[in-house]
Amino acid sequence: MQPDPPVPHTATVDDKGVHVTTAAGKSRTYSGGEVITLTRVIDLAEGAAALCQSSSEACLELVDESAQLAADCDALIAQITVKGVGAGLIGACEHLQEQLALQAAAAKKLHDQIQGGEEACRTASANAEVRHGQIFRAVADSPLTRPAERDFYNHR
């Protein structure tokens, strides 16, 4: 079941602050500092998504590296077997292969979990941007907004 899409808030600005009305009809007045904090929270969610993405990619690299090392162990076991020596070494290589398989499985599981977190962060950021975008636009368009603040919101 998909959640309802975010509904934008409406906003107006006067000398008392930013007056926001939700789709449900609830009203609240935000200070300029609260609006800036809101933008930072949205940016943090997007930053967390980017961090999740890079961590997810690192997990996939670890899965690939584990598979390559396990293949190297196979080749080493084959060489030792051909020479007919090193039964203890074969056992150590087989144990290493098992550990590499466990490592690869754990990295794959972590990758999948991180991808879920990335999607959640991106969704939260996008929904917040839709829901609160009118607040930022109202502040940017207000004649009461200082030029530096206007630049900050127009940059969004």
Side-chain angles (χ1 to χ4, degrees):
M1 181 175 152
Q2 291 289 345
D4 293 333
V7 179
H9 298 328
T10 58
T12 58
V13 179
D14 65 19
D15 59 346
K16 292 184 173 55
V18 181
H19 306 285
V20 177
T21 304
T22 67
K26 295 181 181 180
S27 295
R28 177 165 184 238
T29 301
Y30 288 84
S31 70
E34 287 175 311
V35 175
I36 289 174
T37 299
L38 183 59
T39 64
R40 289 183 179 146
V41 169
I42 293 169
D43 291 345
L44 283 173
E46 192 58 37
L51 180 60
C52 285
Q53 181 179 2
S54 65
S55 298
S56 176
E57 290 168 0
C59 286
L60 285 181
E61 289 172 10
L62 185 57
V63 170
D64 291 344
E65 185 177 326
S66 296
Q68 181 58 48
L69 289 171
D72 291 347
C73 285
D74 275 337
L76 186 57
I77 289 170
Q79 289 175 5
I80 293 169
T81 303
V82 167
K83 293 185 180 182
V85 295
L89 188 55
I90 290 174
C93 286
E94 289 171 343
H95 177 72
L96 180 58
Q97 275 184 312
E98 291 169 9
Q99 294 305 308
L100 288 166
L102 291 173
Q103 176 178 300
K108 177 66 174 125
K109 180 180 177 184
L110 186 57
H111 165 266
D112 294 344
Q113 291 171 336
I114 290 172
Q115 274 194 317
E118 176 187 356
E119 182 179 338
C121 289
R122 289 204 193 285
T123 300
S125 176
N127 287 351
E129 197 69 52
V130 167
R131 184 171 285 121
H132 303 294
Q134 293 299 323
I135 297 170
F136 308 141
R137 180 64 21 227
V139 172
D141 293 344
S142 171
L144 300 173
T145 302
R146 294 186 305 263
E149 280 183 294
R150 184 171 290 112
D151 291 345
F152 174 81
Y153 290 109
N154 283 331
H155 178 69
R156 295 196 70 74

